Amino acid sequence: MAPILSLRELARGFVRRGRVVPALGGVSLDVAAGEFVTIVGPSGCGKSTLLNVLCGLLPPSAGQVLYKSAPVRRVNTEIGYVTQADNLYPWRTLRENVEFPLDVRGVGRAERSRRAAALIERVGLGGFEDHYPYELSGGMRQRANIIRTLVYDPEVILMDEPFGPLDAQTRLILQDQLLGLWDAARKTIVFITHDLTEAIALADRVVVMTARPGRIKRVCPVPLKRPRDLFHLHDDEQFRVTYDTLWDDLAAEVRRAAE
């Protein structure tokens, strides 16, 4: 079966002060349908650029992105994108924000309401439907951000450090909820993080990128069984072995990026 996403010798550079600064250098990767892939690497290695190219927001400088075996040449509206900032509309309530993607797709009011209500309840936001973003905590806003993407049922979801700004306890709870949502729907997720523990806890495979220009240094399958108990993950010997293996690779690239 063909992968749902394929990167073929993908490169991307940016012009800065009259010279080309390479961000990505020859990235090749296949992502299977329903797979959860996390990507780690030092700051500035092109992780966010990679997601922007994957969904068609940026064209590659060289190489190719394939979605269901077809080249991506423009913004791919079949791919969902969850950013670090929640980007909720401040003038819309929680319910209205979650329903908005369905509204612009012409989905009827009753169906919009049904689908939004089910997801709002699923992530523990029941009772807050009529609250505005400023009335919600950071963790609640990010839950709304995630289900606003899930509500229109994209086959692939890109996530760019969605839990980065949150405190450790909230992050752990949202990681657990995200795995529950993923397990129920089995969407394909490509998830960027700076947190190696988070990368291992969530993923089927962890991709380690090099310092800029970003290339793939290692692709490591995660041997932990699913469903996972994220609250006691550190007790698992396989987790510790996987962490130590990946940390050696990651630490070397972080040091190189700092030189």
Side-chain angles (χ1 to χ4, degrees):
M1 185 175 179
I4 194 167
L5 275 177
S6 292
L7 289 69
R8 296 285 181 261
E9 292 297 320
L10 189 69
R12 172 70 197 194
F14 297 92
V15 177
R16 295 287 185 268
R17 298 181 181 180
R19 67 187 184 95
V20 176
V21 178
L24 297 169
V27 176
S28 295
L29 181 69
D30 288 337
V31 180
E35 189 176 19
F36 201 131
V37 173
T38 56
I39 300 176
V40 294
S43 294
C45 74
K47 299 185 297 296
S48 295
T49 298
L50 179 61
L51 293 195
N52 288 334
V53 175
L54 272 175
C55 68
L57 284 172
L58 288 175
S61 301
Q64 195 173 43
V65 177
L66 303 177
Y67 175 72
K68 296 183 178 178
S69 302
V72 175
R73 305 190 190 280
R74 59 185 63 86
V75 174
N76 188 344
T77 57
E78 294 185 44
I79 293 179
Y81 201 160
V82 178
T83 59
Q84 189 172 17
D86 59 68
N87 295 316
L88 299 175
Y89 297 121
W91 60 88
R92 292 177 180 267
T93 65
L94 168 62
R95 179 191 291 108
E96 291 167 344
N97 267 288
V98 175
E99 288 185 10
F100 179 73
L102 299 178
D103 191 10
V104 298
R105 286 167 172 78
V107 177
R109 179 177 298 178
E111 179 64 9
R112 292 200 310 265
S113 178
R114 184 190 68 78
R115 287 164 67 172
L119 284 170
I120 288 170
E121 194 66 34
R122 177 70 188 266
V123 297
L125 292 177
F128 294 92
E129 292 88 348
D130 296 322
H131 287 58
Y132 290 91
Y134 76 90
E135 298 177 298
L136 305 174
S137 70
M140 294 167 80
R141 290 195 301 271
Q142 197 57 291
R143 283 184 237 179
N145 193 30
I146 291 169
I147 62 174
R148 184 176 60 174
T149 299
L150 288 173
V151 76
Y152 66 89
D153 206 27
E155 292 193 55
V156 174
I157 300 172
L158 310 179
M159 309 186 82
D160 192 356
E161 294 191 75
F163 307 143
L166 304 176
D167 64 83
Q169 291 81 11
T170 303
R171 286 182 67 162
L172 186 58
I173 291 168
L174 292 192
Q175 288 165 7
D176 189 60
Q177 288 188 330
L178 176 61
L179 280 187
L181 290 168
W182 172 80
D183 190 55
R186 288 297 168 128
K187 301 299 181 182
T188 305
I189 295 181
V190 180
F191 185 109
I192 285 176
T193 178
H194 277 98
D195 185 334
L196 185 55
T197 296
E198 179 174 72
I200 297 168
L202 298 176
D204 296 311
R205 290 187 296 159
V206 178
V207 176
V208 180
M209 293 186 68
T210 68
R212 186 177 58 84
R215 298 180 174 88
I216 292 178
K217 184 173 186 177
R218 179 192 289 265
V219 180
C220 179
V222 176
L224 304 175
K225 295 180 181 179
R226 295 193 188 274
R228 293 175 185 167
D229 179 1
L230 300 191
F231 303 97
H232 300 92
L233 202 63
H234 293 82
D235 299 333
D236 192 311
E237 177 65 22
Q238 289 183 313
F239 168 82
R240 293 194 293 270
V241 170
T242 304
Y243 185 98
D244 289 344
T245 299
L246 289 170
W247 175 246
D248 288 343
D249 283 333
L250 182 58
E253 295 305 320
V254 171
R255 287 192 294 268
R256 192 159 73 87
E259 291 174 353

